[in-house]
Amino acid sequence: MNAKMGMDEFNRKIKRVLISEEEIAEAVKKAGKQIDELYDGNPILLVSILKGAFVFMADVCRAVTVPCEIGFMCAKSYYNGTVSAGAVKITMDLDQDISKYHVVIIEDIIDTGRTLNDVVNLLKARNPLSLEVITLLDKPSRRVVDFKADVSLFTIPDYFVIGYGLDCGEHYRNLPYIAEYGE
Ligand code: IMP
Ligand code: MG
């Protein structure tokens, strides 16, 4: 296969745009305002889970006008079928002592809910002043564990989506919109 054909195939798998750059920008602005109003004057720590949420985090933190700090975690959950095989494995942890902060988790997508459920339980055990979860996307039809975000910007059907930080095989994270991925 020559390089040109490879590129055509790569682009063909971007099936259709589900959420445009403009729609995302508007929703992010609203989320920033919500954070401003909710935590006005209090010490907040925005925590995102790598890698998927890095673009959303970059935009949300710039939509917030009250003082805030940012932190990153890398988490992996291990399961035997649908049964949790143990606690979430943190491959990169926060360097802040979160007991001094109102923590706001900035997540890209909630699918089965397993990862976030584990991360939330783990962070709660560290006694933050409070803990909220904001997710860009929610696929409620795919839920395996009962988990609900405090704020969800877009609810989507059971599509595999790419772009705006979300990947398929580590590609497409740099698309500025959310698209459905398809063969
Ligand atoms: P959960 O533990 O099943 O909720 O997994 C959530 C994680 O799976 C997200 O943080 C994403 O990294 C990944 N994920 C779930 N659905 C999609 C999708 O449609 N596109 C890309 N990544 C996804
Ligand atoms: Mg993720």
Side-chain angles (χ1 to χ4, degrees), residues 125-139:
R126 299 180 185 173
N127 298 313
L129 297 174
S130 68
L131 194 142
E132 290 248 328
V133 175
I134 298 183
T135 186
L136 174 70
L137 303 171
D138 192 1
K139 285 199 269 192

Side-chain angles (χ1 to χ4, degrees), residues 21-35:
E21 226 178 313
E22 292 74 22
E23 287 171 306
I24 297 170
E26 199 174 307
V28 166
K29 221 163 96 185
K30 243 169 72 188
K33 274 213 182 87
Q34 269 177 295
I35 294 174

Side-chain angles (χ1 to χ4, degrees), residues 107-115 139 159-161 166-167:
E107 178 60 311
D108 54 353
I109 187 166
I110 308 177
D111 187 31
T112 64
R114 287 165 172 158
T115 308
K139 285 199 269 192
Y159 298 143
F160 193 82
V161 292
L166 290 136
D167 74 307

Side-chain angles (χ1 to χ4, degrees), residues 99-156:
S99 67
K100 297 175 174 62
Y101 295 95
H102 293 275
V103 171
V104 187
I105 297 181
I106 307 293
E107 178 60 311
D108 54 353
I109 187 166
I110 308 177
D111 187 31
T112 64
R114 287 165 172 158
T115 308
L116 219 43
N117 191 55
D118 284 354
V119 168
V120 162
N121 287 336
L122 186 103
L123 293 187
K124 272 188 181 160
R126 299 180 185 173
N127 298 313
L129 297 174
S130 68
L131 194 142
E132 290 248 328
V133 175
I134 298 183
T135 186
L136 174 70
L137 303 171
D138 192 1
K139 285 199 269 192
S141 62
R142 293 257 312 158
R143 210 65 101 245
V144 168
V145 302
D146 184 24
F147 184 87
K148 209 172 172 304
D150 299 290
V151 178
S152 168
L153 273 52
F154 299 97
T155 300
I156 61 167

Side-chain angles (χ1 to χ4, degrees), residues 10-11 14 55 162-166 172-179:
F10 184 85
N11 289 324
I14 309 171
V55 178
I162 50 172
Y164 197 72
L166 290 136
Y172 305 103
R173 292 192 195 275
N174 57 324
L175 297 177
Y177 47 79
I178 305 278

